[in-house]
Amino acid sequence: MDLLEILEFPDPRLRTTAKPVKNVDGKIADLADQMLEAMYVAPGIGLAATQVNVHLELIVVDVTEDKDSPIVLINPTIINTEGELETAEGCLSVPGFFEPVNRAEMITIEAINTAGNPFTMEASGLLAVCIQHEMDHLKGKLFVDYLSSTKRQMIRKKLLKQQKQR
């Protein structure tokens, strides 16, 4: 099976709001597996279905060094946040750019796994940042939206130039 294509900013499809997954079945589990493969190959630590032009509330993350602890979150909702953390964020849809963004340091999430079972989990540090970043994608938001319009336009122009040169 072909590797999923990751959309790049400023592709307008990245601005699409994802819809909740209504039926967690084998197709969703297969999509999650394909997304994990694309994320690992890229290489990245998180990927939202929106980034592969599937507009469903599904994200995959794995912030481990060995890339051996994938987490799949279907219809994720943040139910609690604590603290604040500024980190340099990057994005597979905004390749080559890293900019400071403020996020909650700790979060509690409710989601569904690929077996269709609801669960609650807590995340902190890089994992919390990654999940919040990917959940933004589900709302059609990118990390560049946290930057000044001048910086966002500069990044947009550079990426468009790179895309034309391919």
Side-chain angles (χ1 to χ4, degrees):
M1 188 162 259
D2 290 340
L3 199 61
L4 294 173
E5 178 190 354
I6 298 172
L7 303 176
E8 290 186 9
F9 178 71
D11 191 311
R13 296 172 291 181
L14 289 167
R15 300 302 187 174
T16 306
T17 302
K19 304 267 188 271
V21 173
K22 290 189 169 113
N23 186 24
V24 178
D25 57 16
K27 286 182 182 177
I28 294 298
D30 287 346
L31 175 59
D33 287 344
Q34 289 179 321
M35 288 172 57
L36 284 164
E37 181 185 13
M39 178 189 78
Y40 289 134
V41 168
I45 60 170
L47 190 65
T50 302
Q51 293 175 273
V52 294
N53 201 30
V54 176
H55 303 288
L56 294 172
E57 293 181 1
L58 168 62
I59 65 174
V60 297
V61 297
D62 187 345
V63 298
T64 63
E65 186 112 351
D66 295 333
K67 304 298 178 207
D68 60 359
S69 298
I71 299 170
V72 177
L73 301 171
I74 300 168
N75 300 341
T77 305
I78 295 174
I79 57 171
N80 187 45
T81 63
E82 291 181 36
E84 192 174 290
L85 185 65
E86 181 183 86
T87 57
E89 286 190 26
C91 180
L92 295 176
S93 292
V94 189
F97 293 90
F98 295 87
E99 298 292 336
V101 177
N102 288 321
R103 302 273 187 189
E105 186 175 9
M106 297 192 320
I107 58 174
T108 305
I109 310 129
E110 289 180 341
I112 301 169
N113 65 21
T114 54
N117 300 318
F119 67 97
T120 302
M121 73 176 270
E122 292 184 354
S124 61
L126 181 60
L127 180 58
V129 167
C130 184
I131 290 170
Q132 291 169 84
H133 174 108
E134 299 310 329
M135 287 181 68
D136 274 355
H137 279 296
L138 301 180
K139 299 175 202 141
K141 188 171 186 174
L142 298 162
F143 89 95
V144 294
D145 297 338
Y146 291 94
L147 308 177
S148 70
S149 60
T150 304
K151 186 158 257 184
R152 188 170 45 255
Q153 285 304 320
M154 179 201 73
I155 291 171
R156 183 179 189 277
K157 283 179 185 172
K158 284 184 178 179
L159 285 175
L160 282 171
K161 185 177 178 183
Q162 289 172 12
Q163 290 164 14
K164 284 179 184 170
Q165 292 172 344
R166 285 188 209 147

